[in-house]
Amino acid sequence: AIGDPAVFEHTARRLADTVALRLVCILQRGGIAQPPDVAAYLAWARQCGAGTVVFREFSRLGDGYRDNATARHLRTETGTLQARGVRLSVIGRRDRLPTALVAAIAEAERRTAAGRLLDLRIAIDYSAREAITRAAARLLPGEHGRAAFTQRLAEACGADDLPDVDLVVRTGGERRLSDFLLWESAYA
């Protein structure tokens, strides 16, 4: 949960007045598994003017728990996201996820595809180092430069149009990126 809503509201107002935020990353310690917590962070990011929010997967405690927590959230909250105009998409390695979770992701993405108020991206089975390595391996002979690499990185992550990160929020007070969107967060 947001520790002190007044602090977040003050920060959101201050940021919205001074910085045009396109993408906000929220790295939570222990996972944010409760829908009200996710909704509170989305509202805060929207108040900041962000168009995209990226969460790390809801839990990293083990494959069974991750599958259950993430699939449960997709199953129970997709209708709410749809009603609020939120488009959900998932970045990361779907090829290593359980079939049922991949199906739940595809259904949630399909149902929320028309959302235009906010893009919510969930990074599941995602490693920035691995994505950077895969992107470098995908570069074609003669292909070079930031734009080419950024395109290959988006392909490696399963993201179509992920902008650079403007703000990283660490809810647990840590001060590191933890292998999360390293390339995209370089100037955050």
Side-chain angles (χ1 to χ4, degrees):
I2 293 177
D4 185 346
V7 171
F8 267 30
E9 288 172 24
H10 171 75
T11 304
R13 269 187 258 107
R14 201 167 132 222
L15 284 171
D17 290 344
T18 59
V19 179
L21 297 177
R22 293 166 300 157
L23 190 145
V24 174
C25 288
I26 304 197
L27 295 167
Q28 65 281 4
R29 184 190 325 182
I32 296 175
Q34 300 302 316
D37 296 339
V38 174
Y41 281 110
L42 293 179
W44 178 77
R46 223 23 230 144
Q47 187 177 0
C48 289
T52 304
V53 175
V54 180
F55 276 101
R56 187 180 289 264
E57 63 187 302
F58 293 117
S59 174
R60 299 193 51 92
L61 298 178
D63 289 344
Y65 182 78
R66 177 182 65 206
D67 178 31
N68 291 339
T70 304
R72 182 175 56 248
H73 187 83
L74 293 174
R75 193 173 50 253
T76 62
E77 296 304 308
T78 297
T80 302
L81 294 173
Q82 186 179 16
R84 292 181 179 165
V86 176
R87 178 182 145 215
L88 174 92
S89 60
V90 171
I91 61 172
R93 296 281 310 265
R94 293 184 195 203
D95 60 313
R96 299 189 301 203
L97 297 176
T99 305
L101 181 55
V102 172
I105 290 167
E107 176 63 13
E109 287 176 332
R110 184 192 65 72
R111 287 181 54 198
T112 62
R116 297 290 177 259
L117 294 179
L118 185 70
D119 284 336
L120 168 60
R121 305 219 176 161
I122 303 172
I124 300 177
D125 195 4
Y126 171 85
S127 161
R129 285 195 228 180
E130 186 176 293
I132 290 169
T133 301
R134 284 196 330 271
R138 290 177 182 212
L139 286 170
L140 301 173
E143 201 173 33
H144 52 82
R146 181 180 174 159
F149 183 77
T150 300
Q151 176 60 37
R152 296 297 178 207
L153 185 60
E155 293 167 3
C157 294
D160 49 359
D161 57 352
L162 190 63
D164 286 344
V165 175
D166 295 310
L167 176 68
V168 176
V169 177
R170 290 300 311 238
T171 65
E174 295 182 38
R175 296 173 191 241
R176 59 190 179 94
L177 292 177
S178 303
D179 193 27
F180 189 68
L181 297 176
L182 297 175
W183 177 267
E184 299 87 340
S185 299
Y187 299 104

